[in-house]
Amino acid sequence: MTSQRARDRMVDGLVTKGGIRDRRVLDVLRSLPRHLFIDEALASRAYEDTALPIGQAQTISQPFVVARMTEALIEHRLPTRVLEIGTGSGYQCAVLARLVEQVYTVERIDELLRNARRRFRKLGLDNIRSRHDDGRLGWSEFAPFDAILVTAAGAGLEPALLDQLAPEGCLVAPVGPPGRQQLLRVRAGEQGWVHERLGEVSFVPLLGGTG
């Protein structure tokens, strides 16, 4: 089912079961057609709160995780320029693009990026710049960024990404090995970066190189 009713039901679940409260995030998830970001054969499951395969051993994150990461990223202030590491299906990027002025997204798998670009064009999202590259390197040409969101889990935070974060910026990323990953939020404090643990998550690993 890909109707508006299915989206409404998904969003209602994010509020009642997931505790998502940011109305801006909820409104975007309610309006954005998630079924366009997955294979047609899985369209009937598009609005379930679950991760789904998108090919190349990658997944589209469950709606709760997308909502939680987005909410954490914009909780203290709405950023103007956001860097996303790991375009994947393009769904998380599209959510961000409907909230902020400009999104820069980096994807290491060329086929996934080409598919995501087609979806962005179909949805008229013209405030996204995308790049096929090793996401661990960020996108220094356009740094610093007000916020950085990472959609794959590394063993730790990538120094290159922290270097590209604006002094008052915010970074949200999963960190840790499979089965022991934590969602972290990093923000500037009086004596350096402050790390906040936002809960356990499960993401594909953050890999280097391109494919």
Side-chain angles (χ1 to χ4, degrees):
M1 177 167 50
T2 60
S3 67
Q4 185 61 56
R5 186 172 59 179
R7 282 179 241 171
D8 291 343
R9 187 178 301 127
M10 177 190 77
V11 170
D12 290 345
L14 296 178
V15 174
T16 59
K17 298 177 182 178
I20 303 299
R21 292 289 179 264
D22 193 303
R23 181 55 54 187
R24 297 167 296 179
V25 176
L26 295 170
D27 286 347
V28 170
L29 293 180
R30 194 183 302 276
S31 66
L32 191 63
R34 188 173 184 250
H35 62 276
L36 296 183
F37 294 85
I38 59 176
D39 190 277
E40 189 174 350
L42 294 172
S44 63
R45 301 186 60 194
Y47 299 101
E48 296 176 9
D49 190 24
T50 187
L52 295 169
I54 58 172
Q56 305 292 322
Q58 305 296 302
T59 60
I60 180 174
S61 294
Q62 69 182 101
F64 168 73
V65 171
V66 172
R68 183 69 185 97
M69 293 181 75
T70 307
E71 186 176 62
L73 199 73
I74 69 173
E75 180 179 356
H76 296 282
R77 69 184 181 112
L78 187 65
T80 299
R81 302 166 72 252
V82 177
L83 172 65
E84 180 196 42
I85 303 302
T87 315
S89 70
Y91 182 66
Q92 172 72 80
C93 187
V95 170
L96 293 170
R98 289 195 170 183
L99 288 166
V100 308
E101 185 175 311
Q102 185 74 49
V103 183
Y104 300 83
T105 185
V106 182
E107 171 58 54
R108 63 178 295 273
I109 301 175
D110 184 56
E111 182 180 347
L112 293 182
L113 185 58
R114 284 188 278 111
N115 290 337
R117 284 169 171 165
R118 284 195 288 269
R119 293 168 182 137
F120 299 154
R121 288 193 295 269
K122 184 173 184 177
L123 291 168
L125 298 172
D126 57 5
N127 61 333
I128 298 172
R129 296 191 68 158
S130 59
R131 180 178 187 176
H132 177 225
D133 205 350
D134 183 341
R136 299 176 306 168
L137 305 177
W139 200 340
S140 59
E141 178 183 356
F142 295 104
F145 298 97
D146 302 315
I148 299 176
L149 188 146
V150 185
T151 64
L157 296 171
E158 293 291 334
L161 299 182
L162 289 173
D163 288 345
Q164 293 173 35
L165 190 62
E168 300 302 320
C170 173
L171 182 149
V172 174
V175 174
R180 290 188 291 140
Q181 295 173 3
Q182 284 282 334
L183 186 63
L184 297 184
R185 177 168 59 188
V186 180
R187 300 173 61 235
E190 293 182 359
Q191 299 181 352
W193 296 113
V194 176
H195 295 62
E196 302 172 69
R197 294 191 175 198
L198 303 179
E200 296 182 357
V201 288
S202 178
F203 278 81
V204 296
L206 180 64
L207 301 177
T210 59

